[in-house]
């Protein structure tokens, strides 16, 4: 295998989940549960520091999701911060490279006076969690570079690899997600296609994400906030096997802890359901060996998933309305960022939420 970003063969495996069901294929309820499995591992490039999906032989399906309120609010905040920094001044067109998970910044940007274009160069190019879905990272960054008009700016938002490692977010690894960016590796990828970072903003979404503004100015001096983040990433050893051991440890302990908690709840006579048929839950449920006798169902706002089941299990995916009607004793929330929104929209479940395991009750 060669690095998806720089082509180096100096890769090491830092997280290996073995063979897992495809993260984005949700079979019909009642179908046989012996779903095909596929290798799922994360490699780290010792040359450019890019963390990446080691291999992927799945066929992407990506059922369309419903954009969470937390993501919408963060987009509004991000566009406001970029506007306040003057990056939209004197610019009139925008082109968006979207994510297959859904969500868009176009309406927010139109309100700032930017006119969307579907092809060709644009003054502002936006990529919000989209580029990580490209197997060939070097080509994907070159595509974004070509989409920039002279004097244009690329706005690229990504889930921080420092967050993933620091918080043990091992289940960020999934089929179809080919790259996991530290600021260090992103700097290298941008320089490789003739771009340089000029500003960086940080947000609490998903535990910690960054948004960068980059332009075609390879000789630009990295701003001090970016240099500080890169220095901290080096101090943490995010480019080394030793500095990323938390991921494998978290993966090994998380599934065991969740299964034990579900077994304890069953022993107490409690019915447990879940909310969020997210791709991050697929490997967790499979590794924990969870079936319908431990978890009654998983609710999700996406109607495209209703009538399906979680891959590798017999657990059905239901609507939020069906979840309320079933009145479970406890609801396991697989996506913590959804909690504030769900507390507002599903007040009937107050006091029953458990966030991704037996830790936080809301």
């Amino acid at each position: 295998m060669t690095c998806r970003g720089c082509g180096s063969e100096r890769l090491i495996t830092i997280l290996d989940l073995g063979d897992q069901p495809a993260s984005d294929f949700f079979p019909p309820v009642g179908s046989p549960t012996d779903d095909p499995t596929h290798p799922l591992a994360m490699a780290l490039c010792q040359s450019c520091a890019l963390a990446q999906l080691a291999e992927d032989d799945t066929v992407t399906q990506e059922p369309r999701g419903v954009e969470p309120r937390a993501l919408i609010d963060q987009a509004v905040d991000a566009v406001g911060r970029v506007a306040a920094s003057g990056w939209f001044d004197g610019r009139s067109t925008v082109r968006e490279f979207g994510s297959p998970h859904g969500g868009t910044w176009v309406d927010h940007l139109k309100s700032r006076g930017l006119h969307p274009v579907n092809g060709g160069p644009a003054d502002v190019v936006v990529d919000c969690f989209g580029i990580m879905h490209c197997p060939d990272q070097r080509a994907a960054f070159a595509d974004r570079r070509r989409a920039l008009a002279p004097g244009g700016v690329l706005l690229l938002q990504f889930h921080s690899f420092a967050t993933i490692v620091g918080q043990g977010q091992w289940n960020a690894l999934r089929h179809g997600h080919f790259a996991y960016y530290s600021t260090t590796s992103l700097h290298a990828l941008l320089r490789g296609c003739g771009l340089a970072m000029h500003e960086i903003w940080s947000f609490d979404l998903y535990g910690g994400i960054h948004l960068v503004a980059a332009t075609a100015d390879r000789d630009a001096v990295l701003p001090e906030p970016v240099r500080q983040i890169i220095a901290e990433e080096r101090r943490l050893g995010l480019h080394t096997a030793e500095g990323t051991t938390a991921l494998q440890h978290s993966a090994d302990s998380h599934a065991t802890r969740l299964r034990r908690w579900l077994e304890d709840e069953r022993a107490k006579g409690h019915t447990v359901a879940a909310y969020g048929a997210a791709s991050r839950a697929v490997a967790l449920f499979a590794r924990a060996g969870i079936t319908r006798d431990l978890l009654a169902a998983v609710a999700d706002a996406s109607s495209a998933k209703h009538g399906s089941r979680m891959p590798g299990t017999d657990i059905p995916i239901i609507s939020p309305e069906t979840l309320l009607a079933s009145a479970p004793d406890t609801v396991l929330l697989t996506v913590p960022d959804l909690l504030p929104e769900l507390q507002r929209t599903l007040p009937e479940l107050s006091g029953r939420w458990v966030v991704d395991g037996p830790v936080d009750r809301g």
Side-chain angles (χ1 to χ4, degrees):
M1 176 185 173
T2 59
C3 176
R4 299 180 186 278
C6 72
S8 170
E9 295 183 352
R10 298 179 58 227
L11 295 167
I12 56 174
T13 300
I14 58 173
L15 176 61
D16 192 344
L17 302 181
D19 290 341
Q20 297 294 331
S23 303
D24 56 13
F25 174 60
F26 294 86
V29 170
S31 59
T33 59
D34 57 342
D35 300 322
T37 58
H38 311 266
L40 185 57
M42 182 185 289
L44 182 66
C45 179
Q46 299 293 274
S47 296
C48 71
L50 179 65
Q52 54 203 274
L53 187 62
E55 59 180 304
D56 190 359
D57 61 357
T58 65
V59 177
T60 302
Q61 305 258 343
E62 297 287 3
R64 200 68 169 176
V66 175
E67 190 174 18
R69 185 73 245 174
L71 200 59
I72 297 172
D73 291 343
Q74 186 274 327
V76 172
D77 183 18
V79 170
R81 291 202 216 178
V82 174
S85 293
W87 287 104
F88 299 145
D89 296 350
R91 296 184 168 101
S92 60
T93 57
V94 61
R95 179 175 170 185
E96 183 177 53
F97 285 81
S99 164
H101 297 297
T104 178
W105 285 18
V106 168
D107 287 342
H108 308 306
L109 294 166
K110 285 169 64 176
S111 70
R112 298 286 178 171
L114 295 171
H115 174 68
V117 295
N118 293 324
D123 299 320
V124 178
V125 173
V126 175
D127 188 304
C128 179
F129 307 123
I131 199 167
M132 69 185 300
H133 296 86
C134 301
D136 187 336
Q137 285 288 295
R138 185 156 39 184
F141 275 83
D143 285 344
R144 274 84 179 153
R145 169 67 182 88
R146 283 191 292 270
L148 280 176
V153 59
L154 169 66
L155 299 174
L156 192 149
Q157 184 161 278
F158 63 100
H159 189 187
S160 166
F161 185 58
T163 296
I164 292 171
V165 174
Q167 298 186 13
Q169 295 179 358
W170 65 272
N171 52 356
L173 175 65
R174 52 146 294 178
H175 301 112
H177 285 185
F178 294 96
Y180 305 83
Y181 310 101
S182 61
T183 306
T184 303
S185 63
L186 184 64
H187 172 54
L189 284 161
L190 288 169
R191 281 188 61 83
C193 69
L195 297 175
M197 280 187 271
H198 286 270
E199 194 163 356
I200 190 166
W201 300 267
S202 300
F203 304 87
D204 293 334
L205 187 71
Y206 303 148
I209 65 172
H210 295 313
L211 170 66
V212 299
T215 69
D217 184 3
R218 295 186 63 176
D219 297 325
V221 176
L222 278 178
E224 181 60 25
V226 174
R227 291 202 301 270
Q228 290 177 358
I229 292 173
I230 290 176
E232 178 64 9
E233 290 176 350
R234 179 161 293 276
R235 186 189 71 80
L236 293 171
L238 294 186
H239 60 294
T240 68
E242 295 77 15
T244 53
T245 55
L247 287 178
Q248 190 70 57
H249 174 74
S250 181
D252 294 341
S253 62
H254 189 175
T256 300
R257 187 176 68 246
L258 177 59
R259 183 174 179 88
R260 287 176 179 170
W261 174 71
L262 287 169
E263 289 173 341
D264 288 344
E265 291 294 292
R266 181 178 61 182
K268 295 173 185 176
H270 295 168
T271 301
V272 182
Y275 193 102
S279 58
R280 71 175 70 182
V282 173
L284 174 60
F285 288 2
R287 283 175 65 82
I290 298 173
T291 55
R292 197 169 183 174
D293 66 324
L294 289 175
L295 192 65
V298 180
D300 197 275
S302 173
S303 59
K305 296 179 181 179
H306 300 164
S308 300
R309 58 174 174 80
M310 293 298 290
T313 80
D314 59 352
I315 304 169
I317 302 173
I318 61 176
S319 68
E321 294 76 18
T322 303
L323 174 68
L324 289 177
S326 67
D329 297 298
T330 305
V331 183
L332 175 73
L333 182 58
T334 66
V335 185
D337 296 272
L338 295 178
L339 183 59
E341 177 181 355
L342 294 173
Q343 286 175 324
R344 292 193 303 270
T345 58
L346 300 175
E348 300 90 339
L349 297 176
S350 177
R352 304 187 210 177
W353 295 106
V354 169
V355 179
D356 199 21
V359 180
D360 300 318
R361 185 176 290 274

